[in-house]
Amino acid sequence: MSWDFSTDPDFERELDWMREFVRAEIWPLEAVWHELGLDGLSRAMAPLQEQVKERGLWATHLPPELGGQGMGQVRLGLMHEILGTSPIAPLAFGNAAPDSGNSEILAMAGTAEQKDHWLYPLLAGDLRSAFSMTEPDTPGSDPTQLRTRAVRDGEDWVIDGRKWFSSNGSIADFLIVMAVTNPDARPSQRASMFIVPADTPGVEILRDVATMEHPWEQFGAYGGHAEIAYEGARVPASALLGGEGEGFLLAQHRLGPGRIHHCMRWLGVARRAFDMMCERATYRHAHGSLLADKQTVQNWIADSAAEMQAARLMTLHAAWVMDTQGASAARTDIALIKFYGAKVLHDVVDRALQVHGSLGYSTDLPLEQMYRFARAARIYDGPDEVHRQSVARHLLRGYAPPADGVPSEHLPTRRALARERFRELLEAVTAND
Ligand SMILES: Cc1cc2nc3c(=O)[nH]c(=O)nc-3n(C[C@H](O)[C@H](O)[C@H](O)COP(=O)(O)OP(=O)(O)OC[C@H]3O[C@@H](n4cnc5c(N)ncnc54)[C@H](O)[C@@H]3O)c2cc1C
């Protein structure tokens, strides 16, 4: 078995280019992107997207036949760590959520016609998409309880239900909707996915839900989370994505790599917060010394460095398992990093904010925005508790109750067995006394 933590030099050069490009071209845009609005942001992004395409780094999550690089998850992970430093960097690289995950499902399960109609324009940046699964009235953490129904009516499917938190739903051209098609099937086979154009009669985008991230009412902004009513929304049979009853299967495929990319992007955010924390410690003087000289601050810096390193290695390891052994072998590793990575992000941002005092709490620094972003990471793509439960269940499968009800490590029992086994030796020692 070999352990090699190096990145091949050719790809390291690409990573260096990305680091420089994101810092020089994209970080400056962050300060005005809300003012630019959607159209202005698209115009600002267009020349940057061209440079990324020329460099061959556009939509790298997809296989080569679809214009991607077929990079594998380890390289994608390293790339996302850089893109994660800015909320808008993934836009410049054609791999912003939810379009990236949706393009993966379309590439995996779409028919040739669906790819022509939806995938290629999505990849070209000519269309926007949303993933519409979570419902306000059923637990998103247990999607077997979904209530939105799609019922076959002649050559069509008719969709009825209510969704919310469909990210980018209010600016999407089409929605990938998860709906129950066979309520009597096994729970994992009840739902299917449909491609639903946003202008389908019966689809009503009700609002962008105001959240911690966007506490003010808004509509039609990039990154909004839409509440959507589907009332008799009729789509043709050709709108079914994948097979009937394959909704959960496709969702699992979509979520595995997506979680690795999330975790690496979070590390990009955490690193930026960490840099701010360290910088602040070097010049803020209080109670007779710099913050850098206070043991509590030193502990925060050291703990943050250790936790980020641990999360990074765990995430790259999960990516490596996925690349070398496939998605199902990586399931537990991915569940592990999803909740651990979210906590590391939260804790590092929290400490950085604390070290800055009121400045950290203010909107003069991006820390308060990072903090709100970090809070959501513990919920989307599965709340922490669900991932912990799945890790624990998997690990517990490797254990069984002791046959006689005595703990395996029970010392009096082990001592009695050892005395029996080593009786001659013990007798010899006693005889020598
Ligand atoms: C920023 C953001 C973006 C999102 N984007 C999308 C999107 O694009 N498309 C989409 O369809 N959805 C999206 N979601 C929704 C997200 O996937 C759901 O919020 C998530 O799956 C949890 O579902 P829920 O909100 O219904 O919470 P519930 O399922 O009601 O869970 C609430 C809480 O119950 C507890 N809980 C649940 N199960 C267990 C358990 N087994 N053990 C212990 N405790 C448990 C947890 O503490 C959990 O947080 C987004 C959410 C956020 C916050």
Side-chain angles (χ1 to χ4, degrees):
M1 183 175 68
S2 69
W3 287 83
D4 186 354
F5 294 94
S6 59
T7 312
D8 87 64
D10 285 348
F11 191 62
E12 193 56 61
R13 264 192 295 281
E14 296 305 307
L15 292 173
D16 286 343
W17 183 84
M18 286 182 242
R19 253 178 232 115
E20 175 55 29
F21 179 79
V22 168
R23 192 177 270 266
E25 305 293 340
I26 298 185
W27 285 18
L29 256 180
E30 287 171 1
V32 289
W33 76 276
H34 285 294
E35 285 170 52
L36 285 171
L38 194 55
D39 283 347
L41 180 62
S42 303
R43 275 205 300 281
M45 278 288 163
L48 304 181
Q49 291 169 336
E50 280 313 310
Q51 288 188 56
V52 169
K53 283 178 187 166
E54 276 165 28
R55 189 84 192 180
L57 292 170
W58 178 258
T60 44
H61 53 294
L62 288 175
E65 62 273 19
L66 293 172
Q69 302 289 309
M71 273 185 175
Q73 299 305 326
V74 171
R75 287 172 172 218
L76 275 177
L78 292 168
M79 178 175 179
H80 277 283
E81 184 179 21
I82 296 169
L83 304 192
T85 59
S86 171
I88 51 175
L91 270 180
F93 285 76
N95 57 17
D99 290 344
S100 54
N102 289 341
S103 63
E104 272 170 5
I105 313 182
L106 285 164
M108 186 174 50
T111 60
E113 194 195 353
Q114 287 170 337
K115 286 181 184 159
D116 282 343
H117 206 98
W118 304 110
L119 175 61
Y120 303 129
L122 185 65
L123 287 178
D126 296 336
L127 293 180
R128 292 198 190 89
S129 66
F131 186 68
S132 198
M133 177 155 121
T134 306
E135 303 175 347
D137 300 325
T138 63
S141 55
D142 178 10
T144 59
Q145 296 190 46
L146 285 179
R147 276 196 215 138
T148 298
R149 287 293 315 271
V151 177
R152 194 71 196 245
D153 183 25
E155 289 301 297
D156 297 336
W157 288 95
V158 179
I159 303 176
D160 281 283
R162 175 75 63 113
K163 301 285 187 183
W164 81 339
F165 275 83
S166 301
S167 302
N168 279 353
S170 65
I171 57 167
D173 298 285
F174 70 96
L175 309 138
I176 294 184
V177 181
M178 183 87 123
V180 175
T181 41
N182 185 354
D184 301 322
R186 284 170 46 196
S188 62
Q189 292 169 358
R190 284 179 195 156
S192 307
M193 284 192 190
F194 295 89
I195 305 172
V196 180
D199 59 3
T200 304
V203 174
E204 198 183 344
I205 316 287
L206 301 170
R207 60 172 178 147
D208 275 334
V209 181
T211 64
M212 268 177 84
E213 207 177 342
H214 305 279
W216 54 93
E217 282 290 332
Q218 59 167 8
F219 190 83
Y222 177 73
H225 306 295
E227 180 162 358
I228 306 176
Y230 298 87
E231 287 172 4
R234 184 175 286 270
V235 288
S238 59
L240 181 68
L241 182 54
E244 204 178 319
E246 283 185 3
F248 290 126
L249 192 69
L250 295 179
Q252 277 310 322
H253 281 294
R254 181 184 189 276
L255 289 170
R259 285 174 180 146
I260 291 177
H261 307 161
H262 273 316
C263 291
M264 291 304 285
R265 284 197 293 262
W266 296 340
L267 284 166
V269 179
R271 179 74 217 192
R272 226 170 141 179
F274 178 81
D275 288 344
M276 283 188 259
M277 171 162 65
C278 293
E279 183 186 76
R280 173 75 163 186
T282 61
Y283 67 86
R284 192 67 161 184
H285 201 274
H287 294 282
S289 68
L290 285 171
L291 294 187
D293 298 324
K294 316 265 183 220
Q295 196 174 36
T296 296
V297 175
Q298 290 168 347
N299 286 345
W300 284 343
I301 290 169
D303 288 350
S304 299
E307 289 160 15
M308 288 191 301
Q309 176 79 325
R312 188 170 193 271
L313 291 175
M314 283 164 73
T315 309
L316 290 174
H317 178 260
W320 176 79
V321 173
M322 193 151 198
D323 282 345
T324 53
Q325 295 160 51
S328 44
R331 270 180 83 165
T332 301
D333 290 298
I334 289 174
L336 209 66
I337 57 162
K338 171 64 180 62
F339 74 82
Y340 186 72
K343 178 168 165 48
V344 170
L345 168 68
H346 176 276
D347 291 354
V348 174
V349 172
D350 185 56
R351 291 169 192 143
L353 196 152
Q354 187 73 10
V355 163
H356 284 83
S358 50
L359 177 61
Y361 189 72
S362 80
T363 56
D364 284 0
L365 284 184
L367 285 165
E368 61 78 36
Q369 182 272 330
M370 289 176 176
Y371 190 74
R372 290 182 281 129
F373 169 79
R375 192 61 189 80
R378 295 187 50 206
I379 297 173
Y380 58 71
D381 272 14
D384 286 359
E385 295 74 19
V386 174
H387 289 294
R388 283 200 173 94
Q389 176 179 301
S390 114
V391 168
R393 277 188 181 155
H394 174 82
L395 294 177
L396 284 168
R397 268 185 233 132
Y399 295 83
D404 47 9
V406 178
S408 306
E409 296 282 357
H410 188 243
L411 277 174
T413 310
R414 287 179 58 203
R415 200 172 294 121
L417 288 171
R419 281 194 177 130
E420 189 54 36
R421 181 169 170 182
F422 300 109
R423 185 153 34 101
E424 280 181 24
L425 206 58
L426 286 165
E427 280 169 3
V429 173
T430 322
N432 287 341
D433 282 348

